[in-house]
Amino acid sequence: MSTVKQDTRLRDILGTSALRPDGVAKVMGSFSFSSDMWAENMLWGATLRSPHPYARIISIDTTAALLISGVSAVITAQDVPGKATYGLISADQPVFASEFVRYMGEPVAAIAADHPETCRRALAAIIVNYEVLAPVVDPELAMLATTEQIHPDGNLIRHQKIICGDPQISGDITVEGHYTIGMQDQAFLGLEAAMAFPDSGGKGVELHIATQWLHEDRGQIAACLKLPEDNVRLVLGGVGGAFGAREDISLQVHCCLLALHTGRPIKMQYSREESFFGHVHRHPAKIWMKHHATKEGKIVKVESRMVFDGGAYTSTSPAVLINGITHTQGPYQCDNAVVDGYAVRTNNPPCGAMRGFGVVQACFAHESQMDKLAQACGLSPVEVRLINAMHTGDKLITGQAMESVAPVERCIRETDAIPMPEPLAANANVLEFPGGSGRTADRQNIVRGIGWGVSMKNLMYSEGFDDYATARCTLSNGIASLKFATSEVGQGFVTLAPQIARSVLGVDDVVFETSDTQIGSAGSTSASRQTWMSGGAVDGACRLVRERLFEHVGELHNIDPIRLMIEHTDVIDTIGTFRISVTEATQGITLSETFEHHHRKTEDLDANGQGNCHVAFAFVAHRAVVDVDIELGLVKVVQIATAQDVGRVLNPLSAIGQIEGGIAQGLGLAVMEEIIMDNGRVKNPSFTDYLLPTALDAPSVVAIMIEEPEPQAPLGAKGIGEPPCISVTPAIVAAIRAATGKALSRVPVRPQDICL
Amino acid sequence: MSESIGNEMYTLRINGQDRPVVDAWVGESLLYVLRERLELPGAKGACEQGECGSCTVLMDGDAVCSCLVMAATAVGAEIVTVEGLIEKDPSMAATAEVIASQITDVQQAFITEGGVQCGFCTPGLIVAVHHLLDKNPDPTELQVKESISGNICRCTGYGRIFAAVEAVVQVRKASR
Ligand code: FES
Ligand code: FES
């Protein structure tokens, strides 16, 4: 028996901390990111962007730019052969602006030249004549019928309400608040980059691209290029992080157009400044929320009005809005609700997907409310959350039953049991003070605070979308080869997939084929969905291959295949003594199967926001301990304690990496990260002015993973990518409130919000 | 690639070798020249402003942001990039196993402790950590944090990176 255990431990199967197969290349600097590509005869592509948030284009003169030595092409809207617009949900965003520019940084033209500096000079030589217009930047104003409609599709992107139970009911106690969430950037490190190779004859193109969803990109690109989808091949370039920012088209169409136009390979790569304009951001939102409760603190009704600023184009705003409003109740029981949600078009930068997708905004409001409710009822933050904690089987405000495992109480209790950090030592180094290596705090002004946040997050796509993932497994000579179009963005699917294959097939050697569009879609690496969806597809394909293997072995050795199973690396007869290694059993044969994993169907919401719109949910609790210099308004997050509902841990090392990474991003939104807007203009598009958490800002994280396998999930595991970044933000803000006594109704909390 | 923009010629000393640069534009950063002219893409660009540390290389023993150094001014300096940290044994074939056995203790620890996710920050951090441990073999936790606070990692939240540095320090201590 002991050898069995040891064998299980040593092989990199499910449940072990298998190491990344791309780790060696990444530490050596030899891993090829999409920005690392180079080709003989290539040209550089670059984009001309609007300096105005809103303007009419009178004329574009490219003559001078074309005359610059080294410039091969300048293209504008009139050079787009196919559809002039694209978009994930609604194709309302122009490839190049032609009549109007609707946000600062909107693409107007693109060029191809022999050197990045030639590109810069050529961009400067393009003369665009604008009639500058007054931008519409306030979503409240924008949604009024009397306001100028800045797009033919109108300014209201989507309105949806939820009416549940008795809308008139009230409670003994009411608490309410107005909350503001700032615009956060995904700030992946690996900037947008791609390389396009034109087919000879210009009838097709191959694009190597860092993206979250190859097939969706391909559909949008092919339509704009007016090429059959088969003539547009996408290959996954190495991806340096994504967090939602690579779900929309950025440079894809421009890069392909330039390649087809010049007949040469085109390399495009955004600078950090351009990246801030080149991808969507997290929606800024304004939320009013009111809770009615009994004297004992039990929620009776929640009311809310949410306004999400979608910026100039639709992107995923309709889906972000639905996530926001359907998570109004948070992870708490609530029988009655009246919620009104708006996603609105403005002349601000387009907003779309970012880790947490609408739930981050709703959670900041509902968790701030829970603390107000606790105070009003004389309860502690933990008590009020335990009293209201949701359970499996509860009915949500959409009428949907909570079918997922819902260990909300356990998340809270286990977080609560994590030991508190030591008090700030008398001889602590100033680097440990709020402010860290920058402005340093005064020891006597430092106050410690503790705060809580708990959240619920839907997993996968909602509202009737037929979401699926495809994978192929080929087994030969003891080696399993996997093919899928799943985007590895850093999350570790390339670690997980071989773990699945080893567990199912008893092989040790697993190799990958190229991730590209030469197989069915894997869907997007977003919505915490790839472990469940692509993991389910790899698992399904491997199981089909295993059936074929048993048939083959059964036939050869005259054993009913039903008696065969995999033990470690062998095929064995469960009721006999026969045993053969998988390697030996697959000598000279090739078994290959493809599998598509679909999750269960969901439905649209009706006019009252009722419907089974989500697939599944995950839960998490966060407790934050902060030190605040109340005089300077500086914050140091000392510790984050967390217990997360993960279903099942498939790789402990990967899981802790997701948890710690998500917490850092939630910390960023709580106290430092914000794209600052001034009348439609972005004021801080650089890493000098947009602040990100550094090693000195990282709190100590104490994490517990709660394993209650999810019956719906193919591997029993829930997605773990998004939950870590959601309720940590309100937990930190609550801790700052506790330390300062300030109301703090917006994130990020700025020094002036604390000390003025 | 034929270019119309520059004709600078100079020679850089990189990873112990003389590397001639021809037909360059004078405004090119060291980061650009390493990546686009000398086939050394290990250093990454993520901010071009000295804020993220992805482009970290060693210049005469100091860790510098190669995005902030004009390549033409680096003539005469001893430059080490992430590609130069490994002492390759030319007698051995470059198979995956051989390469994996040649990586440094810091590189190995980043892999085994989970310090790598997307990996974009990784080469810069590897250079920065080597530099730190060369100067200070037994850093406190705070010294580690401070010394890599110029290297932004957006994926990991830094926890596994601290674990990797700690692991190297312990192993090196034990073998001293
Ligand atoms: S690219 Fe040099 S520090 Fe960021
Ligand atoms: S691993 Fe992605 S930025 Fe560090």
Side-chain angles (χ1 to χ4, degrees), chain A residues 119-131:
Chain A
C119 290
R120 276 190 286 273
R121 293 176 192 178
L123 290 179
I126 299 174
I127 301 159
V128 186
N129 224 324
Y130 292 102
E131 177 194 344

Side-chain angles (χ1 to χ4, degrees), chain A residues 36 115 272 660 673 688, chain B residues 28 44 46 49 154 158 160:
Chain A
D36 295 334
H115 189 283
R272 179 56 60 184
E660 290 174 339
E673 292 183 38
T688 309
Chain B
E28 288 168 9
K44 307 291 172 203
Q49 283 185 325
R154 187 56 157 168
Y158 306 102
R160 300 305 99 199

